[in-house]
Amino acid sequence: MTDFPLSQVIAGLALALTFGGMTFFSGLMAPLIFTKLPPETAGAFIRQVFPWYYLAMGATTLVALVALLIAGDRGWPAILTGVALAGFIYARQGLLPCINDARDADIQGDAKASRRFNALHRLSVVLNGFQWLAVLTALVLVLR
């Protein structure tokens, strides 16, 4: 059995929490919200949830990154975790406000805003997918 320093264990747990949270939200909660709630309610609810999702996932990723750096890891796990963290910050602080603005304009009937919302939403989904893969890969590498 391999000895894992405490900081590596903390990094692994934080990455596992991030991976689990992302998987649960994307794979179960978001689809349920949009299939079980009326569209207006679902949209308003998800708008309130996303800032907290990005904050929680960013926080667990930050804990993982700090633990990896304390453990002396400057390799791929730390790089991938840092990239995922940057993605959460960008999504919450940059992308999400633009998505919300485009959605508001779309609801007001602006056809260009509808296309912008769809493009930004696609970008957020692709970004989340890359982050999910980065976190999974970092987790696997930490646990080796």
Side-chain angles (χ1 to χ4, degrees):
M1 182 167 175
T2 305
D3 273 337
F4 288 107
L6 180 59
S7 55
Q8 191 173 1
V9 170
I10 291 169
L13 288 171
L15 286 167
L17 280 170
T18 306
F19 178 75
M22 292 179 77
T23 302
F24 177 74
F25 185 78
S26 300
L28 184 66
M29 286 309 298
L32 276 175
I33 290 167
F34 284 101
T35 58
K36 300 297 182 185
L37 296 175
E40 308 79 34
T41 305
F45 180 70
I46 207 83
R47 185 180 275 210
Q48 297 300 312
V49 170
F50 265 119
W52 292 100
Y53 166 76
Y54 290 129
L55 185 63
M57 297 301 96
T60 55
T61 305
L62 177 61
V63 168
L65 180 59
V66 169
L68 287 168
L69 295 175
I70 288 171
D73 188 331
R74 303 294 192 273
W76 282 110
I79 292 167
L80 292 168
T81 302
V83 167
L85 175 59
F88 288 124
I89 294 168
Y90 168 69
R92 186 176 196 274
Q93 299 305 119
L95 191 55
L96 192 57
C98 293
I99 290 172
N100 289 341
D101 290 345
R103 184 64 180 142
D104 290 342
D106 179 25
I107 290 170
Q108 297 299 318
D110 183 341
K112 287 182 181 179
S114 177
R115 288 189 296 276
R116 181 165 165 72
F117 170 79
N118 289 333
L120 290 169
H121 179 262
R122 257 189 315 278
L123 175 60
S124 73
V125 170
V126 169
L127 175 61
N128 199 66
F130 278 120
Q131 289 173 282
W132 185 86
L133 287 172
V135 168
L136 174 60
T137 304
L139 177 59
V140 168
L141 291 172
V142 165
L143 296 178
R144 288 191 311 160

